[in-house]
Amino acid sequence: MPITELGMGAAQLGNLYRETTDAEAGAAVDAAWDAGIRYFDTAPHYGLGLSEHRLGAALAARPRDEYVLSTKVGRLLVPSGYPEDTMDDGGFAVPATMRREWDLSRDGVRRSVHESLERLGLDRIDIAYLHDPDDHGAEAHAEAIPALIELREEGVVRAVGTGMNQSAMPAEFVRRHDVDVIMLAGRYTLLEQGALDDLMPLAEERGVGIVAAAVYNSGLLSRPRPPADALYDYAPAPAELIAKANDIADVCEEFGITLPEAAIAYPLRHPAVVSVVVGMRTAEQVRGTAERYEREIPEEFWAALDDRGLVRRG
């Protein structure tokens, strides 16, 4: 598939943390297309289907064979029955007319894919990820992943894998199943490289692509200098991680680059990484992210990080 090295994460199009207008969402997708981005990632979880609706609408006029779209399975959206003024409690500024219900059964996975196709207005999904099955390992191995592979064989999806915030469990999926791609959020970044001990070498050996997401580690690496109240994994960042980010920023400044520029570039140095997905809300954010991606970074910078024990070379 013609997946681009820079992908657009569409959680923000589902009103992640705050409201985004339809116009802002459409303009962001237009800007991504103009910047050459051809990989777009969404999920039913993002805004209780709002992200899928908006992304599908924004891409409707684009040639279908010119972009790659991924969404996720594992949580169905069902009517909530909540009072009319109830808002979602999953981090998205949307009315809670629906609620998320875990279902990793074969039927649940198939239903999830077909409901996503309806929201997106598409007849196929390029990549279907099993979304955060951390507490559902047995069912994921026994039913969910085999169901995704079955859908791949039917041509409903083109590639399958998992999207998770850890590397150990995805490594087990790679060992045990014929998966194509893993979305790894936050575990192979400029700040931490634990995935080099399990998932990354296995993915390279088996020919499984890695999509690196959350490369800013929830914002800690999104600015030239991390603020004192920076987040890490959606919670206040520990002091030692802020200090490490500042140490890396020192080296960035020596070479005339910025921390977020290096954060986007680092995962792509590993041969298994096929794309870096960054969440973007507005056209301005898209253009800024594209500029960061296009920044040329000297090899000497990476050697300096390695020599000072700050970042492991992939």
Side-chain angles (χ1 to χ4, degrees):
M1 291 183 289
I3 191 167
T4 49
E5 285 189 340
L6 181 61
M8 179 181 181
Q12 283 83 348
L13 303 194
N15 289 2
L16 179 65
Y17 301 135
R18 61 182 176 84
E19 186 176 352
T20 302
T21 67
D22 290 343
E24 285 175 325
V29 175
D30 288 344
W33 193 273
D34 292 343
I37 294 171
R38 296 293 184 270
Y39 175 37
F40 302 87
D41 175 69
T42 183
H45 170 59
Y46 302 157
L48 298 171
L50 179 61
S51 175
E52 288 185 320
H53 278 296
R54 282 176 164 169
L55 186 58
L59 291 172
R62 311 292 185 182
R64 183 62 186 91
D65 291 336
E66 291 187 15
Y67 66 87
V68 172
L69 185 141
S70 59
T71 191
K72 305 177 182 76
V73 305
R75 281 171 275 195
L76 294 172
L77 301 181
V78 299
S80 67
Y82 298 152
E84 193 172 308
D85 58 349
T86 304
M87 296 298 289
D88 178 51
D89 61 358
F92 296 87
V94 294
T97 56
M98 308 292 281
R99 62 178 176 82
R100 303 163 184 87
E101 183 176 276
W102 284 100
D103 191 337
L104 278 73
S105 69
R106 176 183 179 275
D107 288 346
V109 167
R110 295 182 70 89
R111 174 181 163 187
S112 181
V113 166
H114 287 286
E115 289 180 353
S116 286
L117 287 170
E118 289 182 6
R119 285 188 290 267
L120 290 161
L122 299 175
D123 60 3
R124 75 164 191 270
I125 290 168
D126 297 303
I127 304 172
Y129 297 112
L130 180 57
H131 200 182
D132 293 336
D134 303 70
D135 299 324
H136 307 273
E139 196 171 10
H141 286 291
E143 290 203 56
I145 293 295
L148 285 176
I149 291 173
E150 183 179 79
L151 286 165
R152 183 183 65 192
E153 292 171 349
E154 295 171 4
V156 179
V157 303
R158 298 174 67 191
V160 303
T162 62
M164 301 187 69
N165 293 280
Q166 59 157 296
S167 59
M169 196 168 175
E172 190 62 21
F173 286 119
V174 173
R175 289 189 191 96
R176 294 174 57 178
H177 302 279
D178 179 24
V179 296
D180 306 289
V181 60
I182 299 293
M183 176 172 278
L184 181 65
R187 302 286 80 85
Y188 187 64
T189 71
L190 193 64
L191 193 64
E192 59 176 285
Q193 299 87 46
L196 287 172
D197 297 326
D198 45 31
L199 177 61
M200 303 306 286
L202 186 61
E204 186 177 3
E205 174 189 331
R206 302 285 177 90
V208 172
I210 299 294
V211 171
V215 295
Y216 296 147
N217 284 115
S218 298
L220 187 52
L221 303 177
S222 64
R223 304 180 190 179
R225 285 285 174 178
D229 60 350
L231 297 179
Y232 167 79
D233 277 0
Y234 311 104
E240 60 270 22
L241 285 184
I242 294 178
K244 182 177 180 181
N246 274 302
D247 289 342
I248 297 172
D250 290 339
V251 185
C252 290
E253 290 178 359
E254 290 177 27
F255 286 85
I257 59 178
T258 68
L259 196 58
E261 289 170 348
I264 289 176
Y266 173 75
L268 290 167
R269 293 172 55 77
H270 195 286
V273 175
V274 296
S275 185
V276 166
V277 167
V278 179
M280 303 177 232
R281 188 184 301 272
T282 65
E284 182 180 5
Q285 287 183 359
V286 171
R287 288 189 284 268
T289 302
E291 289 175 2
R292 290 172 174 179
Y293 162 71
E294 291 166 1
R295 181 73 162 85
E296 291 188 14
I297 298 179
E299 190 63 31
E300 293 79 9
F301 167 74
W302 305 112
L305 290 178
D306 186 54
D307 291 343
R308 300 180 201 187
L310 292 171
V311 179
R312 295 165 63 182
R313 292 202 212 192

